[in-house]
Amino acid sequence: MTQTKMKPELDARISTAAEEKKIRALFDRYVAHFLAGDGERWITLFDRKAVWMAPGEPMMDFEQFVEWAMTLRPGHADAFTNENLEIEIMGDWAFATGTYKIDGPTGDGKGYHFDGKFLDILKRQHDGSWKIYRCAFNLNTP
């Protein structure tokens, strides 16, 4: 029985598609854990050398980010969507860009709405999974 090998280009495209699927699944978990207010599970999506860069805030290293993420509680956000997700993979590194919208309650009953864009750098882990290495985002609305 003869085995045929795939052309390297086809093999690379299939491999890239599989890796992109893993990254999209990571972003699905990102949204789910954030909406659930589950900071403990949310931080597992980040590399231990991750840096968080939020608009109008000082840059946070992983330890600072973990402290902040652990303040998340159920009900802090009603809706969160990532859209226009574009992923580029280069070996053990990838970047993802897109837009997001988050809505949630405030103490005054008016609620909040964030509409913005993001650029995340991801790093492939030793086990083949992906984690967020740098997270930078900004707002389209004041």
Side-chain angles (χ1 to χ4, degrees):
M1 188 163 155
T2 309
Q3 286 187 331
T4 56
K5 285 191 158 187
M6 284 189 239
K7 291 182 180 180
E9 311 84 48
L10 180 58
D11 190 38
R13 281 193 305 249
I14 291 170
S15 175
T16 300
E19 295 305 309
E20 185 174 321
K21 187 175 179 180
K22 288 182 192 178
I23 293 170
R24 288 184 185 282
L26 178 143
F27 280 101
D28 289 345
R29 290 190 310 277
Y30 180 103
V31 169
H33 299 331
F34 186 87
L35 279 172
D38 191 344
E40 196 168 316
R41 289 177 72 191
W42 195 46
I43 62 171
T44 66
L45 305 175
F46 291 81
D47 186 274
R48 294 221 173 251
K49 292 183 180 178
V51 174
W52 177 263
M53 295 174 273
E57 298 291 330
M59 192 165 56
M60 287 188 237
D61 65 19
F62 184 72
E63 289 180 18
Q64 295 165 319
F65 171 69
V66 167
E67 188 176 317
W68 175 82
M70 296 311 289
T71 67
L72 294 179
R73 296 289 176 256
H76 73 101
D78 298 326
F80 183 173
T81 58
N82 277 335
E83 299 170 339
N84 306 313
L85 188 60
E86 177 186 337
I87 298 168
E88 293 289 335
I89 300 170
M90 296 153 288
D92 288 337
W93 295 94
F95 68 83
T97 60
T99 59
Y100 69 90
K101 293 179 183 174
I102 305 174
D103 295 293
T106 56
D108 62 8
K110 293 181 181 178
Y112 69 84
H113 173 75
F114 294 140
D115 174 12
K117 50 202 161 292
F118 66 91
L119 168 62
D120 287 351
I121 299 172
L122 299 102
K123 184 177 181 183
R124 190 187 331 252
Q125 305 298 296
H126 295 294
D127 65 0
S129 67
W130 291 88
K131 292 199 177 191
I132 298 168
Y133 190 74
R134 297 291 184 265
C135 181
F137 59 99
N138 61 25
L139 301 171
N140 295 332
T141 53

